[in-house]
Amino acid sequence: MLTTPTIHVARDRFHLAWDPAIPAIETVPSGGVVEFDLLDASGGQLTASSTVADIATLDFARVDQVNGPIAVEDAEPGDTLQVELLEFEHADWGWTASIPGFGLLAEDFPDPAYHVTQLPKGPRAEFLPGIRVPLAPFCGEIGVAPATGPLSTIPPDAHGGNMDTRHLTAGATLFLPVFHAAARLSMGDGHATQGDGEVCGTAIETPMRALVRLTVRKDLHLTAPEFLTAAGPAADRPVGRRYVTDGIAPDLLTAGRDATRRMIDWLGREHGLEPVIAYLLCSVAVDLRISEIVDMPNFVVSAHCPLAIFD
């Protein structure tokens, strides 16, 4: 640990809604550093020894918990909370699942699936034999007390929340609008790595240690989250060629689904993956990108798979 935290937040100090009525559990001065010890998104219900049968017994009232809230002195409505993401340390394992009724292709995959990945200290993890994915840990959930509540921790909103933005790695800085006195930041949902889009609804979910610095910005006034990426390549895919499949449709959601379906087909055709495993891999390592949004009535969403994962 390069920076000494002002306070430590244990993994049992969490809440399950974004709600301005939830009081802060700790207070730090502007510029204070907070260390979070976080459970995985299942709230500890899934483990490295879990099986697909355990998906059926998940208590969804306990998923996507966030730890906090942490009050920041001098933060007032209209200010911005600057969140410097200093360190992320994932556990030695993580899980990826297809959960019935959830995910971009929920209708295509009605049955549950569960996959465990062992996570080394190095830059890549073996997702499957012959497939190694780059690790770039971050937290899917980061936010402040919303303007009104309670709100679910599943969808994101102007206060932040479950943004699942893979570029919020160590070295990045997140800027959140403040809606209530003391801002009251919470975070959770550790991801060892994720593709842009998190298409199956889960990344490589993992317990996480996170270290952040919280600074009040009186000179910056925002209406939604903004961020500055890390200076290094932490969230970038390996340099090299990609195989890309396009989805073309009159709305972005349909185009995204079609691009993902075609990528699943390609992963089966070229690499022998069964469809549900290809779907999980897409969520972990394939990036959905908008290629065209002006040539109405049709738009293009492209699914990018880095070929380096097959090296």
Side-chain angles (χ1 to χ4, degrees), residues 78-82 175-178 215-218 220-222:
D79 295 342
T80 291
L81 185 64
Q82 176 177 294
F175 304 95
L176 295 169
V178 175
T215 303
V216 177
R217 293 283 301 272
K218 299 286 186 182
L220 186 59
H221 310 287
L222 304 178

Side-chain angles (χ1 to χ4, degrees), residues 81-99:
L81 185 64
Q82 176 177 294
V83 185
E84 295 173 72
L85 306 172
L86 303 177
E87 298 177 25
F88 290 108
E89 182 181 353
H90 56 71
D92 61 2
W93 70 280
W95 60 269
T96 307
S98 180
I99 298 171

Side-chain angles (χ1 to χ4, degrees), residues 16-18 41 60-66 102 140-141 151-157 159-164 189 198 201:
L16 289 158
W18 293 103
F60 287 94
R62 294 169 53 194
V63 304
D64 269 354
Q65 77 285 349
V66 288
F102 188 59
E141 294 252 16
L151 303 177
S152 167
T153 57
I154 302 299
D157 211 315
H159 68 284
N162 196 24
M163 297 180 288
D164 287 326
D189 189 23
E198 196 189 23

Side-chain angles (χ1 to χ4, degrees), residues 102-274:
F102 188 59
L104 186 64
L105 300 182
E107 293 183 358
D108 296 18
F109 296 97
D111 298 322
Y114 185 73
H115 179 80
V116 171
T117 302
Q118 299 302 314
L119 302 175
K121 295 289 187 182
R124 296 209 288 178
E126 185 178 71
F127 187 77
L128 290 168
I131 300 178
R132 294 193 300 155
V133 296
L135 299 180
F138 70 99
C139 278
E141 294 252 16
I142 310 177
V144 295
T148 60
L151 303 177
S152 167
T153 57
I154 302 299
D157 211 315
H159 68 284
N162 196 24
M163 297 180 288
D164 287 326
T165 301
R166 71 174 184 85
H167 297 277
L168 292 175
T169 55
T173 302
L174 174 64
F175 304 95
L176 295 169
V178 175
F179 298 100
H180 296 276
R184 283 174 277 167
L185 177 120
S186 301
M187 61 191 298
D189 189 23
H191 292 177
T193 194
Q194 179 201 293
D196 279 328
E198 196 189 23
V199 293
C200 84
T202 60
I204 296 184
E205 310 288 335
T206 182
M208 186 77 74
R209 185 188 69 83
L211 197 70
V212 301
R213 180 181 288 113
L214 307 178
T215 303
V216 177
R217 293 283 301 272
K218 299 286 186 182
D219 61 323
L220 186 59
H221 310 287
L222 304 178
T223 57
E226 300 180 5
F227 64 93
L228 179 67
T229 60
D236 291 340
R237 299 299 185 207
V239 175
R241 303 183 74 186
R242 299 162 179 258
Y243 194 85
V244 182
T245 55
D246 282 342
I248 303 172
D251 69 88
L252 292 175
L253 193 58
T254 299
R257 287 183 175 127
D258 288 348
T260 303
R261 289 185 179 112
R262 292 186 177 111
M263 179 56 69
I264 290 169
D265 289 345
W266 178 77
L267 288 168
R269 186 172 72 243
E270 294 296 321
H271 296 280
L273 299 187
E274 61 178 290

